[in-house]
Amino acid sequence: MAKSIVIIGNGISGITTARHIRKLDDTCRITVISGETPHFFSRTALMYVYMGHLKFEHTKPYEDWFWAKNRIDLVQGWVTEFDFNQQKIAVNGQSNSVIEYDTLVLALGSKPNFYDWPGQDLRGVQGLYSKQDLDTMERDTAGVTHGVIVGGGLIGIEMAEMLRSRGIGVTFLVRESSFWNNVLPAQESVLINEHIAQHHVDLRLGSELSEILPGQNGRVGAVVTKDGETIDCQFVGLTVGVSPNVSVFKNQNNTLLGTLEIDRGILVDAFLQTNQPHVYAVGDCVQHRMPPPGRRAVEQIWYTGRIMGETLAQTLCGKPTAYQPGVFFNSAKFFDIEYQTYGDLPAQLPAGCATFYWDKPGKNTAVRINYDQASGAVLGMNAFGIRQRHEVWDGWIAQKKTIQHVLQHLPEANFDPEFFKQHEGEIIGQFNAQTGSRLAVKSKKGLARMFS
Amino acid sequence: MKTIQRIGLFTFLGGFAAFLCLLTVGQYTLTDNILKTNLKAEHYAVLQPSLKNMVGKTYTDQFSFVADFNAPINALNDGYRAKQEWSKVIYDKYAFAVAKASSGGFAWSWWFLVSFGLAVVGALTYILPTTRWLPGIKNNGVFREAATSRGWVGISVGVFLVLFYVVLYFSPEYITNWVLLVDPISKALSGNAATQWFLYGFLYCLCVVIMGIRMLIKYRHSPYQMLRTGSVMFFQLAIAFILPELLLRFNLPYFDFKNMWPLDYDFFFDYNLNTLLASGKIGIFMLGWGIALFVVGVPIMTYFFGKRWYCSWVCGCGGLAETLGDPFRQLSNKTLKVWKIERYLIHFVLAFAVIMTSLVLYTYFTGRSSVLFLDSYSVRSWYGFYVGAIFSGVVGTGFYPVMGNRVWCRFGCPLAAYLGLVQKYQSRFRITTNGGQCISCGNCSTYCEMGIDVRAYAQRGQDIVRSSCVGCGVCSSVCPRGVLNLENADPKSRVLLAPNYPLGHSAVKL
Ligand SMILES: Cc1cc2nc3c(=O)[nH]c(=O)nc-3n(C[C@H](O)[C@H](O)[C@H](O)COP(=O)(O)OP(=O)(O)OC[C@H]3O[C@@H](n4cnc5c(N)ncnc54)[C@H](O)[C@@H]3O)c2cc1C
Ligand code: SF4
C-alpha cells in the first residue's frame, strides 16, 4: 500500500509541505487535517478582510478544486488523540475517526499570549490569530466607538489600523519606550511612532495594562493601566506576542501515548524531526534544538514556515535535507509605510559593527545599512518607504560585499515602480559627507542592469 | 468630512435626477419644413400625406410623438413587404433627427446648469475631501459598500448603464433633449448640431475627467498611477473628443488619431475609406497613420513597453475603465475557468474582426459582396450589432458594477487580443516578483481588473507574463510587501517557469 503522510495544520507550513511532497512523489497518500477552516487561507491577510479590502474567499491562495486535483485529502476537525507508538491519531469533529500514519507532520501554528489579566475573558476582549478571532472581532466591534490595543508588535499595529479603518478611536498601549524598539533601531522606531500618531492613534509609550473592567452585559467597559489611569473602551485587542501552539499536548483531557519533547515549541533537529520516529514538525510550532547560525530557535514568520515546508518535503521524499534558511528577510507594513529588511539588523548595534542611516524627513522614507567595521562587509539593511530587490540584497549579504560596493550599486536594488523619485544620489552623498569618502553611484535602476 | 461628502453625494444625485427629468419636459411640434429638410425627397413624397395630421400638433412627450411619427412609416413598409416591393422599403431611421428638430420649449441654459452643473459640483464635493486622507492605499470598505460589492447600488448603476446604451444605440429618438442640451457645445466646436454620438462623447469625457481626478487623488503617492491617469485623460479629452470636432470645423474628415483597427472596426468600411481618399493629402496621411499604427506601432511599442502603452495609457475604452471603472476593478472573476472562457472568446472576436474586414475590403475592391456562403454586408452588420454595440457598449460598460471594469477589454476587444499576442511572445515587458517576499495575501489578484491571479505567480517567484495584462500597475500599488514591479528588459530574462523554490534557502540549492 502507498505510504500515508498525515499533516496536522493547513497553514502555510503544512500546506507547503503537502504541495511539495506531491510534486516529488506521485504515489503517497497525503491527508491534511485542520480544525480552523476547511481550506488553506493566508493568515497575514486577515486584517484586509476586516478593513473591507478583501472578502475572506480572496485570502485563499488556491481554488477549492486544487486539493482534489492534486490528491491532497482535506479533513476538517481537531486532532485530540495521539498514539505515537501505534502511529495513530484521532480526529474529533465532524468525522470522529482514527487515522493511521506512516509519517506525521505537526504544523500546528501559534496561539496568542494571554497573561491572566483580570477581566481578559470579558466579551470584547480578544487576540487576533485565527479566522474565528476575525469573526468575533467583526461581531464585537459593531457600534464600538473606542478600542484599546495592548502590545506594540506587528499584530498590535495591524489591529490599530483595522479599527481606524472603521473610524473607531484607538488607544495603543505599548510597554516599550518606543514602538517595536526591541527589533527596530531607535530612529526607525521613532519614525513609526510619528506615523502612528498621524493616523490619529493615541499611542501610549511605556504604558502597561493592569486590568480590564467590565461594562454592561458582560462586555468590557474600560481598562486600567499600571499608572492607574482608566481608559473607557468597548473593545480590547490583546497582542502581546504569540507562542507555539502546543496546547493539544498539554490538555489533560487529550490522550497521549508516547511522549513528545516540548520546550517552548516542539523540539526538532536540523531535519525537522521530533524525538519520535516518523514525526516531524514545521512552522510556528517549532523550536529548533540547534537553530541555524544567527537565527532564533523559535521564529514565527510566514517565510520560515514556508521554507521549513519546502525542506521537509525533500526529506520525506527520500532526499534528507537539513533546514538551511538563507539570508534572513522579512517585511511588514505600518499603516502606509512599507518595511523590508534583509540580513541581520538588530535593534542594538553589536560590537564591531558600523551603521549608516539616511532618511527623508517628513516623507516616511529611510534606509539603514549595518556593516562590519573591519572588513566593510554589509550585514543587514532596513528599508522604509523604498522597495528593495530581494535577490540583490541576498547576493550582496551572502557574498559579503562592502558598504562602498553596495552604495555605489544601490540603484540595482531599487524595486520601486517606474517614475518614482530615486534617492540613491542623496544617500551616497550623505555617506560621503559623514565618512569623508568620495563614492559615486555607478549603476542604474532596473532589471536590465542586473544582467549586464 | 463625512458631512461634506454626503452633501456632495446628494448634490450629485440632484443633478442626475434633473438630467433624467429633462427627458420628460419640453414639447414636440412637427412642421412641414422639418419633414422637407430631414426626409429624402422620395420618402417625403410618400410620407407627407399620412404625416399631414401630425404637422402643427404639439406633443408634450416624446413617446407619443415618436409613435405617431413611426406609425405611417411602418404601415407603408408593411404594405411594400406584402407586395414584395423590397426596393421601396424605407430603412432610414428618421425618428431621431425629426424628433430633435421638433423639440423645443425648455430653457437650455437653466437645465444645463442644473443637471451637469450640480452633478459636477456634487461629484467634486464628494471626491475632493479625500485629499485629507494620508496618501496610500485606502481600499477601506470596498467589499462592504453596496456600490462596489455588487450590492443594490451597484446593480442599479449597472441597470441604468445598460438601459442608457440600449437607448443610445437603438432608440436615440427618446433622448433628443439630452442631445439638445449639448448642441451649443457641438456648434462651438465643429459648427455642427450635436448627434447622439456627440452627447456620448461629451458624457464620456465628463466621466473620464471627474473620475480621473478621483484617481489622481487616490493614487497621489504613486507617480506611475498619476502619469498614467493624466495620459488617458489627455488622450480622451484632446485627441478623441476635441480634435476630431475641430477637424470637422476645418472641413477635414472626422478622425481620432489614437483609435486603431481592429478596435476601430469600421476603419476599412467603404464610407470611411472614401471620405479619407476624397480629402486630399491629409486624408491619405490619416489613412497611412491608421494603418501604420497597427502594422508598425503595435509591434514596436509593445515590444518595448508591453500592451500597456496603449491599453492603460492611450485607449479610450481603457481610459473609461481606469477612471469611471476603477471602483469596480475588484469584481473581475479570477478563476481558471473564466480565464479559459476569456481566451476562447477574445480570440474568436479577433478572428471575427479579421474575417469581417477582409470581406469588406474584398467587396470594396471587387464590388462583389458574396464570398462562398457569406455576404459581406450581412457579416459587417452582424459585427456592428453583436460586437460593436452589444459587446463593447451594453455589456462592456453596463456590466462594470457586476463583472469588473474591463469586461470588454478582457473578453471582447480584438485589438487587446492582438496586442496581447505580441506582449506574450515578443516583448520586453513583464511583472517581476520580488524573490520570496510574497505573503499570499491576495490583494494583487483581487484588484486585478483583468482577472489575472497575480498571486499564483508571485507566491512561486514566477514573472507575470500574460497576454491580457494591461499594465495598469495596480497590483504593484496595492501589494503591501513590495513584491510586484512592472519592468522592461531583455525578453530572455523573463522568468517564465516558476523556480523550484522561491528565494529563501541558503546557498545550497535544494
Ligand atoms: C494577523 C497576523 C498577521 C501576520 N502577518 C505576518 C506578516 O506580515 N509576515 C509574516 O512573515 N508573518 C506574519 N504573521 C505570522 C504568520 O502568519 C505565521 O507565521 C504563519 O501563518 C504560521 O503558519 P503555520 O503554518 O506554522 O501555522 P498556522 O497558519 O497557524 O496553521 C496551523 C493550523 O493548524 C491548526 N491546528 C492546530 N492544532 C490543531 C489540532 N490539534 N488539530 C487540527 N488542527 C490544528 C490551526 O487551527 C491552524 O489552522 C501574521 C500572523 C497574524 C496572526
Ligand atoms: S499583494 Fe503582494 S504579498 Fe499579497 S499576494 Fe500579491 S504579491 Fe503576494
Side-chain angles (χ1 to χ4, degrees):
Chain A
M1 226 185 87
K3 187 169 121 173
S4 164
I5 300 179
V6 173
I7 300 170
I8 309 177
N10 67 358
I12 179 69
S13 58
I15 287 301
T16 306
T17 312
R19 283 196 313 110
H20 283 274
I21 292 173
R22 181 50 83 224
K23 277 196 197 178
L24 298 166
D25 179 343
D26 200 40
T27 55
C28 67
R29 281 193 56 194
I30 306 175
T31 310
V32 178
I33 309 167
S34 202
E36 184 180 358
T37 52
H39 299 103
F40 170 46
F41 72 96
S42 174
R43 197 171 295 294
T44 55
L46 286 177
M47 66 181 295
Y48 299 110
V49 179
Y50 182 86
M51 301 205 302
H53 295 206
L54 305 176
K55 288 208 273 185
F56 182 73
E57 66 191 54
H58 296 124
T59 67
K60 293 198 266 181
Y62 303 93
E63 289 186 57
D64 291 351
W65 50 258
F66 176 88
W67 310 107
K69 179 171 175 256
N70 288 289
R71 286 171 294 122
I72 296 174
D73 300 334
L74 302 181
V75 176
Q76 189 176 8
W78 297 100
V79 179
T80 48
E81 289 169 36
F82 295 81
D83 182 345
F84 296 120
N85 304 328
Q86 302 283 324
Q87 303 194 8
K88 289 193 295 210
I89 54 168
V91 185
N92 155 354
Q94 299 131 322
S95 49
N96 240 326
S97 55
V98 172
I99 297 177
E100 295 182 15
Y101 63 83
D102 295 310
T103 302
L104 180 67
V105 178
L106 303 170
L108 309 175
S110 315
K111 57 176 180 26
N113 294 336
F114 290 91
Y115 291 114
D116 292 327
W117 284 290
Q120 70 178 22
D121 297 325
L122 289 166
R123 188 157 161 190
V125 181
Q126 66 167 99
L128 176 66
Y129 189 84
S130 63
K131 166 73 165 63
Q132 284 72 24
D133 292 337
L134 177 74
D135 296 340
T136 20
M137 185 166 170
E138 181 73 52
R139 186 192 70 194
D140 289 344
T141 53
V144 160
T145 56
H146 199 85
V148 172
I149 306 296
V150 181
L154 293 177
I155 299 180
I157 194 170
E158 282 188 4
M159 265 183 127
E161 183 175 356
M162 289 158 79
L163 294 179
R164 289 303 299 134
S165 78
R166 297 210 188 166
I168 298 172
V170 176
T171 306
F172 193 7
L173 302 185
V174 174
R175 187 181 57 186
E176 292 75 27
S177 59
S178 182
F179 176 76
W180 215 36
N181 69 357
N182 50 342
V183 176
L184 296 179
Q187 282 156 305
E188 288 95 311
S189 172
V190 168
L191 182 85
I192 304 302
N193 290 345
E194 288 166 1
H195 188 61
I196 292 173
Q198 281 184 329
H199 277 274
H200 307 290
V201 171
D202 179 11
L203 176 63
R204 305 284 184 88
L205 296 170
S207 186
E208 275 185 78
L209 177 68
S210 159
E211 64 172 315
I212 304 168
L213 304 179
Q216 278 163 354
N217 309 328
R219 282 196 61 123
V220 55
V223 300
V224 181
T225 67
K226 287 224 167 126
D227 306 333
E229 189 186 351
T230 304
I231 302 166
D232 289 340
C233 62
Q234 307 93 44
F235 180 79
V236 175
L238 294 176
T239 62
V240 288
V242 295
S243 306
N245 179 11
V246 291
S247 47
V248 64
F249 303 113
K250 301 199 166 150
N251 188 329
Q252 304 297 321
N253 298 329
N254 294 346
T255 319
L256 209 56
L257 297 172
T259 54
L260 193 66
E261 283 180 24
I262 294 172
D263 177 24
R264 281 193 291 147
I266 302 168
L267 288 163
V268 297
D269 63 15
F271 294 87
L272 302 166
Q273 188 166 11
T274 68
N275 64 308
Q276 286 288 345
H278 316 297
V279 181
Y280 299 79
V282 285
D284 274 20
C285 64
V286 157
Q287 178 177 353
H288 299 280
R289 288 176 198 272
M290 288 197 301
R295 305 290 286 253
R296 287 175 291 135
V298 178
E299 213 169 48
Q300 293 147 311
I301 58 177
W302 180 265
Y303 311 110
T304 50
R306 191 189 71 209
I307 296 167
M308 282 186 230
E310 291 161 358
T311 307
L312 180 60
Q314 296 274 331
T315 302
L316 298 186
C317 296
K319 268 211 303 194
T321 307
Y323 174 57
Q324 269 182 302
V327 171
F328 181 80
F329 66 100
N330 199 5
S331 60
K333 195 173 178 188
F334 308 106
F335 285 92
D336 300 315
I337 305 182
E338 285 176 24
Y339 156 70
Q340 292 181 339
T341 185
Y342 298 101
D344 194 21
L345 206 146
Q348 303 299 331
L349 194 66
C353 186
T355 191
F356 168 70
Y357 179 76
W358 168 90
D359 70 357
K360 189 120 186 128
K363 291 280 179 218
N364 295 332
T365 308
V367 170
R368 178 184 298 279
I369 305 174
N370 278 7
Y371 54 101
D372 187 77
Q373 221 153 25
S375 68
V378 293
L379 303 168
M381 82 95 60
N382 276 346
F384 293 80
I386 301 184
R387 294 177 172 178
Q388 295 290 302
R389 213 180 278 272
H390 185 176
E391 202 181 340
V392 173
W393 275 104
D394 186 80
W396 282 342
I397 294 169
Q399 294 157 26
K400 300 192 165 40
K401 294 288 187 202
T402 62
I403 177 80
Q404 288 80 10
H405 175 94
V406 163
L407 286 174
Q408 286 177 318
H409 297 89
L410 205 51
E412 283 174 28
N414 187 326
F415 201 66
D416 271 344
E418 294 147 298
F419 308 116
F420 272 54
K421 185 169 167 40
Q422 285 184 247
H423 305 285
E424 290 86 3
E426 223 175 276
I427 293 174
I428 210 165
Q430 183 182 318
F431 184 80
N432 286 342
Q434 282 174 0
T435 60
S437 25
R438 296 172 64 184
L439 303 174
V441 174
K442 278 192 183 161
S443 43
K444 282 197 175 141
K445 174 184 171 185
L447 197 53
R449 302 290 147 184
M450 285 178 63
F451 297 93
S452 57
Chain B
M1 181 169 155
K2 271 230 169 93
T3 343
I4 299 178
Q5 282 200 308
R6 196 158 291 161
I7 293 171
L9 184 63
F10 281 108
T11 312
F12 168 81
L13 289 175
F16 184 64
F19 189 62
L20 292 180
C21 283
L22 177 57
L23 293 182
T24 65
V25 302
Q27 1 186 283
Y28 301 78
T29 317
L30 187 64
T31 66
D32 198 44
N33 198 26
I34 291 176
L35 288 177
K36 258 192 207 134
T37 40
N38 284 294
L39 269 47
K40 286 180 186 156
E42 68 269 26
H43 293 158
Y44 176 77
V46 289
L47 284 172
Q48 200 274 339
S50 36
L51 285 171
K52 216 167 41 210
N53 303 339
M54 243 185 110
V55 170
K57 190 167 154 193
T58 297
Y59 291 77
T60 51
D61 71 301
Q62 68 273 54
F63 295 101
S64 41
F65 179 88
V66 171
D68 279 3
F69 176 78
N70 277 338
I73 302 182
N74 292 340
L76 210 58
N77 280 345
D78 286 346
Y80 291 145
R81 289 199 177 99
K83 288 186 258 166
Q84 308 211 335
E85 294 175 322
W86 303 117
S87 61
K88 288 192 182 166
V89 177
I90 301 172
Y91 290 108
D92 303 69
K93 297 214 178 310
Y94 289 125
F96 172 74
V98 171
K100 187 178 170 227
S102 310
S103 172
F106 70 90
W108 172 83
S109 47
W110 193 83
W111 279 99
F112 190 88
L113 221 63
V114 171
S115 59
F116 289 132
L118 283 187
V120 168
V121 169
L124 290 177
T125 311
Y126 184 79
I127 291 166
L128 291 178
T130 56
T131 49
R132 298 199 35 198
W133 296 341
L134 293 175
I137 294 301
K138 299 285 167 343
N139 285 323
N140 297 341
V142 164
F143 280 101
R144 301 164 58 85
E145 303 282 351
T148 51
S149 62
R150 299 194 189 109
W152 68 271
V153 180
I155 303 294
S156 314
V157 172
V159 169
F160 169 77
L161 287 172
V162 166
L163 288 176
F164 171 78
Y165 274 94
V166 169
V167 175
L168 177 77
Y169 281 111
F170 306 113
S171 308
E173 56 272 22
Y174 297 114
I175 52 170
T176 50
N177 280 359
W178 286 352
V179 180
L180 283 169
L181 208 55
V182 293
D183 236 4
I185 302 174
S186 176
K187 286 189 178 129
L189 279 173
S190 66
N192 300 331
T195 61
Q196 73 269 35
W197 303 118
F198 183 86
L199 167 77
Y200 181 48
F202 178 82
L203 291 174
Y204 204 102
C205 287
L206 208 60
C207 292
V208 168
V209 169
I210 300 287
M211 291 300 277
I213 293 173
R214 170 187 168 278
M215 191 78 181
L216 289 172
I217 295 173
K218 181 174 176 192
Y219 289 104
R220 65 194 187 286
H221 57 290
S222 166
Y224 182 80
Q225 298 298 349
M226 293 190 59
L227 280 169
R228 185 175 73 76
T229 305
S231 174
V232 289
M233 287 165 77
F234 166 79
F235 276 103
Q236 177 54 37
L237 200 64
I239 308 297
F241 184 64
I242 296 179
L243 185 62
E245 297 292 331
L246 292 181
L247 288 171
L248 284 182
R249 155 148 288 197
F250 295 104
N251 279 326
L252 294 168
Y254 180 97
F255 195 78
D256 176 354
F257 280 92
K258 64 149 207 23
N259 207 350
M260 199 192 314
W261 182 86
L263 172 60
D264 183 14
Y265 63 90
D266 54 7
F267 185 75
F268 291 107
F269 283 10
D270 45 7
Y271 55 78
N272 192 43
L273 292 181
N274 291 338
T275 318
L276 293 180
L277 290 172
S279 307
K281 279 205 185 106
I282 183 113
I284 304 289
F285 171 74
M286 287 167 171
L287 187 61
W289 172 263
I291 294 171
L293 264 185
F294 73 84
V295 175
V296 189
V298 167
I300 293 184
M301 293 291 282
T302 309
Y303 173 76
F304 282 105
F305 306 111
K307 79 196 244 190
R308 57 187 173 144
W309 76 270
Y310 194 76
C311 297
S312 62
W313 283 75
V314 172
C315 180
C317 304
L320 192 71
E322 297 291 348
T323 51
L324 180 70
D326 177 68
F328 308 113
R329 55 171 56 251
Q330 67 282 354
L331 301 174
S332 62
N333 186 302
K334 316 298 188 303
T335 59
L336 201 64
K337 209 166 101 195
V338 171
W339 179 20
K340 226 179 216 162
I341 297 174
E342 162 200 317
R343 282 176 295 172
Y344 279 113
L345 212 55
I346 193 164
H347 294 117
F348 169 79
V349 176
L350 175 61
F352 189 5
V354 170
I355 292 169
M356 182 274 291
T357 305
S358 314
L359 292 177
V360 164
L361 283 174
Y362 174 81
T363 305
Y364 185 77
F365 288 115
T366 64
R368 280 188 292 254
S369 69
S370 65
V371 186
L372 300 173
F373 54 92
L374 292 171
D375 169 56
S376 85
Y377 289 100
S378 323
V379 174
R380 104 182 195 183
S381 70
W382 295 339
Y383 190 94
F385 179 79
Y386 290 108
V387 180
I390 300 289
F391 207 158
S392 83
V394 179
V395 176
T397 310
F399 281 42
Y400 271 14
V402 185
M403 291 169 68
N405 55 332
R406 287 273 191 179
V407 181
W408 161 246
C409 315
R410 180 181 181 192
F411 297 101
C413 176
L415 177 56
Y418 167 40
L419 284 155
L421 289 171
V422 182
Q423 164 157 292
K424 183 156 181 204
Y425 297 108
Q426 249 350 298
S427 174
R428 295 165 59 83
F429 175 73
R430 88 291 310 269
I431 301 178
T432 318
T433 57
N434 199 7
Q437 286 280 22
C438 176
I439 52 168
S440 301
C441 70
N443 276 291
C444 54
S445 298
T446 305
Y447 286 89
C448 176
E449 53 190 358
M450 296 304 281
I452 299 172
D453 188 359
V454 184
R455 164 174 58 194
Y457 299 77
Q459 66 192 0
R460 316 196 269 177
Q462 183 183 2
D463 286 354
I464 294 111
V465 175
R466 279 279 287 266
S467 47
S468 66
C469 174
V470 292
C472 71
V474 166
C475 58
S476 164
S477 295
V478 298
C479 174
R481 294 293 179 272
V483 176
L484 304 159
N485 201 3
L486 282 60
E487 297 192 88
N488 309 310
D490 185 351
K492 286 200 278 294
S493 67
R494 307 202 290 190
V495 182
L496 296 175
L497 288 176
N500 280 336
Y501 303 99
L503 199 54
H505 301 270
S506 73
V508 188
K509 288 271 178 272
L510 282 172

